[in-house]
Amino acid sequence: MQQGQIKISVIISVHSDESCVRECLDSVLCQSLEEIEVICISDDPGCEKIIKEYVAKDFRVLLVPEQKESDSMGQRQELKGAKGEYISFLDSDDRYPDLDVLRILYDKALETGIMICGGSLSTQMKSELPETQNIHKYTFVRDEVISYRDYQLDQGFHQFIYNSKFLKTIGLYFYPRSYAQKINFFVNAMITAGRFYAVRKESYYFGGKETNTVETEEAQLDFLKNMQGILRLSAIHRLKALHCLIVQRLSQTAITKKKTAQISKELINALKEVEMAIDSSLLYGQRELIAYWHNLQNMLMSFNVEVSPDKNTFNNKIESDRAALKKDTQSAAFIEKGKDGQYPLATVIIPVYRVEDYILECVQSVCHQTLANIEILIVNDGTPDRSIDIIRPIVNKDSRMRILMKENGGLSSARNAGLEEAQGEYILFLDSDDFLKENALELLYQKSKELDLDDLFYSAEVIFENDCTGNEYDRYLDYYQRKGDYAGVQKGTSLFAAFIENKEFKPNACIQFYRRSFLVNNKIMFCNGILHEDNLFTMQCLLYAERTSYLNKELYCRRIHADSIMTGKHGIKNAYGYFCGIKEIIETAGCFENTLDENYITALIYQLNVMTDVAANFIKGISKAEIADFLKKCNFDEKIMFFVSVHKVAQMKQEISDARKSENDWKRVSDNLIKTVNAKKTENRELLKNKRNAEACEREKNKEIENLKTSLERLQTENKNNKMKVAKLETRLKEQEEEFRNSTSYRVGRIVTFLPRMVKKIFKG
C-alpha cells in the first residue's frame, strides 16, 4: 500500500489493561476500509508486547512510545507524521461497533467535502455517560449537515474523523492523556470548522469510563488553563450552551472547594483567569451557575484578589478577536463548501393556508433574491385550496425549495415545523400573503454577519389590497416603521426597553432576522394553538438575545386585506392568545431573577398592562359562562388566572363602559330637557313679545280710531257747515234765477233758443 493511498490514520491511546487492547485493535484492523494506518501510543510494557505482535502481522500497525507534553497544546509527533487524509482517535478500552464505520465516515466526508464527519454513539453504553442531560445530542436521527452552534457539546470527539490537512493547517494537536486538552481540541476543531456532517449510524463504542479526575495540582492547572481557553472562545462566538456547559464542569470539580491553605498561588492565578473569562451575560437563566460564579468571586476576594478588575478590557479583547476572526482566511477555508457548494446562509419559512390569490407573488419574491445561497421551506399547513398546485412548477425547477406537508395546526405549528427542518445560518419567517423586496435577504445577512447579531429588526412597507381597504385601515399605513434611534448593537432587554419608551414595540415575527442557532440553543419556538403568537415569540427573543440591532429599511411588504387575522373579527380566541403570551413571558422572565435591570422590568410591566388591556377589550360583554365553555380544555390554574386577570379587567372595563353609557344616556335626557325648557322659554319670550306688539298695535289702533273719530266729527261739522252754505247758495241762486227770468235778456234768449226749432217745423210742414 502506497503512502498516498492511506485514507484514515487511526491514533490509539493505549492506557488500559491488556484484556481490552486486542479487542480494540481487532475492531480497527477488520474494518472494510483497508486503506488505513494504526498508530498506537503506549508506554506500558505489557500493552506494548501485544501491540508488537500486531505490528509483526500487519504492516499498517505502528507503535509510538509515549512522549511528554511538549508545549501548551501538546503537539504530538505521531499526529504530525500521520499520513491519512483523515484522522480518527480511539482509546484502547473502546472499539468500533461494526466493520463499516470508517468506510461510511470516509465516504460521507469525501462526498460532502466537510472537514469533520461523525456518527452516533453506541446505544449499549449511553447510560454510562456523565452528560445525561445532553444524551440525545450524542445520537443523530438522520444524515445531515449540523452547525456547531446547534450542537455545542465539548465531549464525544472519538465519534468523529477529522481532515488531516485541516488539523495541520490550523496547528491543532492534543495530549491524549489529558482530559482537558481532549475537550479543548474538540471545541477548537468544531468552532473552526463551523459545522460537521452527522451520520445516524453508530460509529463508536465507549467501553470504559472517561478519566475526568483532576486531582493533582498539575492536572488542575492543565484543566483550568484549557477551560479558560474554551470559555474565552465561547464568549467570542456567543456560544451560550457551551459556555454554560464549561462553567458547569468547573462547578463540579473539587478545585473551588479546597481549603484556603491547600490552594497554591498558581491555582489562584489560574482561577482568576477563569473568572475573568466567564461572561455572566451568557449565564442568564442558569441559577446554579450564577451562584457558582458568585462563590468563585467570593473565594478569590478572600485571597485579596480583585475579581473581574477589567471586564471592559476583556470585552474589548473579545471584540478584537471577533474582528480578527473575520480576516482569518486560513480558518474560513474549511467552512466554505459542502456537497453542492456552501450551506444555506438563510432559510425562509413560508406557512401556506388558503392563500391562492397571493402565494405566487410571495414565492417569486424569494426566488429572485439577490442572495442566492438560501433555503426556501414551504410548509403546507393542510391548505384546502390550490395554493400548493400554483407554486409546484416553481418548486420543481428550484433545488433550493422544499414543500413540507403537515395537517392543519395553525400558523405557530407551521412555523415550528419549518424551524425544525431549517439548515440555514439565519431564519426569516414570511407570511404567504406578503412578499420581500429583491435585496432584502442580502442586506439583512450582511448586517447580521457584520455585527454578529442574534436578532435583527427591520421595517416593512404596507401594501393595501384596494382603495376600500386603504380607506378603512389607513391606521396601518406607517405602523411597521420606527422613528426612534436604535443604532448600534445592544442587548435584547435594552432594545425592548427602548422600543417601549418610544412606544414603537412592533412584535411581528416576520420583520426580524434571526440567527438559527440562537433560536435552537435557547429553545425559542412559537406557542402552538394560539392567536397573536408573535407577542410571546418576540418578547422571548429580546429576553434571551445578547446582540440585537435595528436596520431602518423597508425590506418586507406587508399586505393588508379584509380577511386577515389582523383585520378580521376579534373575540375570546384573541384574548386567550394574549393571555398565554402574558403567562409565558412572566414565567420566562422569572428564570432570570435579579439579572434584569430596572429599565427592562419597567418596560415589561408596561407592555404586560397593554396586553392585558387589549385582551380584556376582546371579551368585553362576553358572559362568564361563554368564557368558561371556551376554557374547558385548559387546566385549573389557567382558568383561574384567566378569570382573575383578563376577565376581571374586562368586567371592570365593561362596568366603566356601562357607567359611561348610562352617564351619556342621562346626559342626553338632561340635554333634551334643557333644550325643551329653552325652547319653551324662547316660545314664551316670543309670545310675550307678540303680546306686547299686539298691545302696541291695539293702542295704535285706538289712537287711530280716536283720530278718525275726531276727523269724522270735524268732517261732519264741515259737512254741516257746507250744507248750510249750499243751502244759502241754492237760495241765492234761486233768487238770482228768478231775477234773471224776469229780465229782458232771458226772454230774448228764450226766443233765440226756440226760433230755429220753429223754423225747422215750418219748413217740414
Side-chain angles (χ1 to χ4, degrees):
M1 183 173 61
Q2 300 297 322
Q3 176 178 334
Q5 295 177 312
I6 298 176
K7 295 179 178 178
I8 295 181
S9 295
V10 182
I11 299 177
I12 303 177
S13 176
V14 182
H15 54 78
S16 63
D17 58 57
E18 302 172 13
S19 61
C20 298
V21 176
R22 294 185 185 277
E23 187 177 11
C24 174
L25 283 170
D26 288 340
S27 75
V28 178
L29 296 173
C30 292
Q31 287 289 305
S32 59
L33 182 72
E34 297 181 352
E35 299 90 342
I36 63 174
E37 66 174 357
V38 184
I39 302 174
C40 300
I41 308 165
S42 175
D43 61 357
D44 180 87
C47 292
E48 287 184 13
K49 183 179 179 181
I50 297 173
I51 296 170
K52 287 178 180 178
E53 292 178 15
Y54 280 87
V55 171
K57 292 188 295 183
D58 196 322
F59 69 96
R60 297 176 298 174
V61 182
L62 304 173
L63 174 61
V64 179
E66 182 71 55
Q67 298 177 10
K68 290 186 178 181
E69 186 176 359
S70 58
D71 58 25
S72 60
M73 285 300 294
Q75 295 188 13
R76 304 298 300 173
Q77 186 62 40
E78 63 273 5
L79 185 54
K80 285 183 176 181
K83 302 172 184 177
E85 297 176 54
Y86 285 84
I87 304 293
S88 175
F89 300 96
L90 194 65
D91 285 343
S92 58
D93 51 358
D94 303 336
R95 64 179 184 272
Y96 292 124
D98 64 51
L99 305 181
D100 292 324
V101 169
L102 293 182
R103 180 185 57 77
I104 291 173
L105 294 184
Y106 177 80
D107 288 346
K108 287 293 183 182
L110 205 64
E111 177 186 354
T112 60
I114 292 180
M115 299 301 108
I116 302 174
C117 178
S120 300
L121 206 57
S122 174
T123 56
Q124 299 178 46
M125 47 64 60
K126 286 179 186 175
S127 59
E128 300 178 22
L129 278 176
E131 307 299 327
T132 54
Q133 71 276 23
N134 291 319
I135 197 69
H136 64 283
K137 287 195 173 183
Y138 290 101
T139 304
F140 307 113
V141 296
R142 56 178 174 269
D143 295 2
E144 62 178 342
V145 175
I146 295 179
S147 169
Y148 183 65
R149 282 191 173 276
D150 300 336
Y151 191 66
Q152 293 196 40
L153 289 187
D154 61 345
Q155 286 192 351
F157 82 108
H158 291 98
Q159 298 169 233
F160 300 86
I161 63 172
Y162 306 83
N163 183 280
S164 179
K165 183 181 178 182
F166 165 67
L167 295 180
K168 293 175 183 178
T169 302
I170 63 176
L172 192 56
Y173 305 92
F174 78 99
Y175 183 59
R177 295 289 178 89
S178 170
Y179 156 69
Q181 285 192 16
K182 288 180 181 179
I183 294 177
N184 204 332
F185 169 87
F186 182 62
V187 170
N188 272 276
M190 281 293 188
I191 289 179
T192 307
R195 63 199 181 112
F196 62 91
Y197 193 86
V199 179
R200 61 183 175 179
K201 182 180 178 61
E202 294 179 355
S203 66
Y204 196 81
Y205 178 83
F206 183 76
K209 292 186 178 180
E210 183 66 77
T211 54
N212 300 348
T213 56
V214 283
E215 295 177 354
T216 67
E217 181 168 325
E218 182 182 1
Q220 290 170 351
L221 288 172
D222 177 68
F223 175 76
L224 292 176
K225 180 180 179 180
N226 283 281
M227 294 304 103
Q228 186 266 349
I230 300 174
L231 286 172
R232 190 165 171 272
L233 270 177
S234 59
I236 291 171
H237 294 273
R238 310 306 295 170
L239 300 174
K240 179 178 179 178
L242 176 63
H243 202 79
C244 291
L245 181 59
I246 298 303
V247 175
Q248 184 180 26
R249 291 204 188 287
L250 288 164
S251 69
Q252 292 170 346
T253 62
I255 299 173
T256 55
K257 300 176 184 178
K258 284 189 173 186
K259 294 180 180 180
T260 303
Q262 296 177 324
I263 301 180
S264 66
K265 184 177 179 181
E266 289 76 10
L267 272 179
I268 293 173
N269 290 333
L271 286 170
K272 177 183 175 181
E273 293 296 321
V274 166
E275 191 280 325
M276 284 193 63
I278 294 176
D279 188 337
S280 59
S281 67
L282 294 176
L283 303 183
Y284 273 3
Q286 303 293 326
R287 302 180 187 180
E288 294 181 358
L289 300 185
I290 292 174
Y292 164 76
W293 177 53
H294 289 157
N295 290 337
L296 179 59
Q297 289 183 319
N298 293 334
M299 187 189 74
L300 289 171
M301 286 189 290
S302 69
F303 290 100
N304 297 320
V305 175
E306 184 180 356
V307 296
S308 304
D310 198 1
K311 279 287 186 184
N312 289 332
T313 301
F314 176 67
N315 291 335
N316 291 338
K317 183 72 173 89
I318 287 178
E319 294 300 330
S320 173
D321 288 344
R322 280 201 187 99
L325 204 61
K326 295 175 184 176
K327 299 177 182 178
D328 189 356
T329 54
Q330 234 182 16
S331 298
F334 296 99
I335 310 177
E336 286 182 356
K337 295 184 179 180
K339 179 179 177 180
D340 52 357
Q342 292 183 341
Y343 64 98
L345 302 181
T347 297
V348 180
I349 298 172
I350 309 174
V352 176
Y353 186 78
R354 290 186 182 276
V355 284
E356 60 182 18
D357 293 336
Y358 315 111
I359 186 64
L360 186 60
E361 183 178 13
C362 172
V363 171
Q364 287 178 337
S365 75
V366 185
C367 293
H368 298 154
Q369 287 292 302
T370 54
L371 184 69
N373 186 14
I374 61 175
E375 177 185 43
I376 308 167
L377 298 181
I378 299 168
V379 185
N380 179 9
D381 191 32
T383 182
D385 63 2
R386 297 177 52 255
S387 297
I388 298 300
D389 294 334
I390 291 172
I391 60 172
R392 197 175 294 279
I394 302 177
V395 176
N396 292 338
K397 294 179 181 178
D398 196 329
S399 60
R400 302 173 301 173
M401 302 178 69
R402 279 193 292 154
I403 297 178
L404 307 179
M405 308 296 289
K406 65 181 290 292
E407 295 182 356
N408 179 249
L411 183 59
S412 292
S413 67
R415 286 175 174 173
N416 289 339
L419 189 56
E420 289 176 359
E421 292 291 326
Q423 295 294 322
E425 186 179 358
Y426 290 88
I427 299 290
L428 185 140
F429 297 103
L430 174 60
D431 286 349
S432 47
D433 51 355
D434 301 331
F435 55 95
L436 297 175
K437 294 191 176 178
E438 190 176 24
N439 60 343
L441 293 176
E442 181 180 6
L443 294 177
L444 292 170
Y445 180 80
Q446 288 176 350
K447 186 75 171 180
S448 296
K449 289 296 287 184
E450 175 189 350
L451 300 179
D452 190 25
L453 299 177
D454 295 322
D455 192 359
L456 174 62
F457 288 76
Y458 62 104
S459 297
E461 176 186 355
V462 168
I463 307 295
F464 293 108
E465 188 172 30
N466 50 51
D467 293 339
C468 294
T469 307
N471 293 332
E472 186 175 357
Y473 302 105
D474 59 348
R475 63 186 179 277
Y476 291 114
L477 186 60
D478 57 354
Y479 177 80
Y480 297 102
Q481 301 170 6
R482 295 180 175 92
K483 298 178 182 178
D485 182 13
Y486 310 104
V489 178
Q490 53 187 316
K491 287 182 63 174
T493 52
S494 300
L495 185 60
F496 175 75
F499 282 156
I500 295 298
E501 182 180 1
N502 296 328
K503 293 182 172 54
E504 291 188 323
F505 178 58
K506 319 288 185 183
N508 187 290
C510 293
I511 51 175
Q512 299 172 59
F513 195 63
Y514 314 89
R515 178 151 49 199
R516 183 171 67 91
S517 59
F518 160 70
L519 298 178
V520 172
N521 293 339
N522 292 291
K523 298 180 175 60
I524 301 175
M525 301 185 78
F526 291 92
C527 183
N528 285 325
I530 67 170
L531 299 175
H532 310 290
E533 61 285 322
D534 287 7
N535 286 288
L536 173 61
F537 187 83
T538 301
M539 292 172 74
Q540 285 180 328
C541 287
L542 287 170
L543 183 58
Y544 281 102
E546 295 297 326
R547 299 180 64 80
T548 64
S549 190
Y550 173 64
L551 179 61
N552 191 13
K553 289 183 180 295
E554 296 178 3
L555 304 175
Y556 189 98
C557 295
R558 184 73 163 166
R559 194 191 306 274
I560 306 295
H561 52 91
D563 57 348
S564 68
I565 295 176
M566 185 170 58
T567 60
K569 186 178 179 181
H570 295 151
I572 189 170
K573 290 184 179 180
N574 304 85
Y576 182 72
Y578 271 87
F579 165 73
C580 291
I582 294 168
K583 181 173 66 71
E584 291 296 328
I585 195 62
I586 290 175
E587 291 180 4
T588 305
C591 297
F592 290 78
E593 287 196 354
N594 299 325
T595 57
L596 301 174
D597 59 46
E598 287 300 322
N599 289 336
Y600 175 79
I601 295 173
T602 301
L604 180 61
I605 292 172
Y606 173 86
Q607 182 60 22
L608 293 178
N609 282 331
V610 170
M611 293 172 68
T612 303
D613 190 64
V614 173
N617 282 331
F618 288 145
I619 60 170
K620 270 197 329 183
I622 297 179
S623 68
K624 187 175 181 180
E626 190 177 349
I627 295 174
D629 184 63
F630 175 80
L631 296 175
K632 281 182 179 178
K633 295 181 180 179
C634 299
N635 59 43
F636 180 77
D637 293 343
E638 284 186 331
K639 290 179 182 178
I640 296 299
M641 289 178 63
F642 187 88
F643 276 108
V644 300
S645 57
V646 178
H647 184 252
K648 189 67 177 177
V649 174
Q651 282 184 320
M652 293 173 60
K653 292 173 76 67
Q654 187 62 48
E655 289 173 3
I656 293 171
S657 179
D658 291 342
R660 286 177 178 172
K661 182 181 178 182
S662 178
E663 181 183 352
N664 291 335
D665 290 343
W666 280 109
K667 191 174 185 304
R668 281 196 298 273
V669 172
S670 176
D671 290 344
N672 290 335
L673 287 173
I674 292 171
K675 286 180 182 179
T676 303
V677 170
N678 289 337
K680 290 294 183 183
K681 286 182 178 180
T682 302
E683 185 180 350
N684 288 338
R685 283 196 296 269
E686 290 295 326
L687 289 173
L688 183 60
K689 182 179 178 181
N690 292 337
K691 182 180 178 182
R692 289 172 181 170
N693 290 338
E695 289 175 351
C697 290
E698 186 68 22
R699 286 194 298 271
E700 288 294 327
K701 287 180 180 179
N702 291 337
K703 185 177 179 181
E704 187 176 353
I705 290 171
E706 289 298 326
N707 290 336
L708 289 173
K709 286 181 179 180
T710 303
S711 299
L712 180 59
E713 289 176 355
R714 182 173 55 77
L715 290 173
Q716 287 177 343
T717 302
E718 288 180 356
N719 186 41
K720 185 178 180 181
N721 292 334
N722 287 333
K723 283 183 178 180
M724 292 177 63
K725 287 180 181 180
V726 168
K728 287 181 180 180
L729 287 173
E730 286 178 347
T731 303
R732 177 65 181 164
L733 181 59
K734 286 179 180 180
E735 290 177 353
Q736 287 180 358
E737 184 179 352
E738 190 64 31
E739 288 179 0
F740 178 70
R741 283 179 181 169
N742 293 329
S743 68
T744 305
S745 301
Y746 177 76
R747 290 175 182 168
V748 174
R750 291 283 293 179
I751 294 170
V752 173
T753 301
F754 288 103
L755 182 59
R757 206 180 304 169
M758 291 175 62
V759 173
K760 191 174 180 180
K761 284 181 180 181
I762 292 172
F763 277 103
K764 281 184 180 181

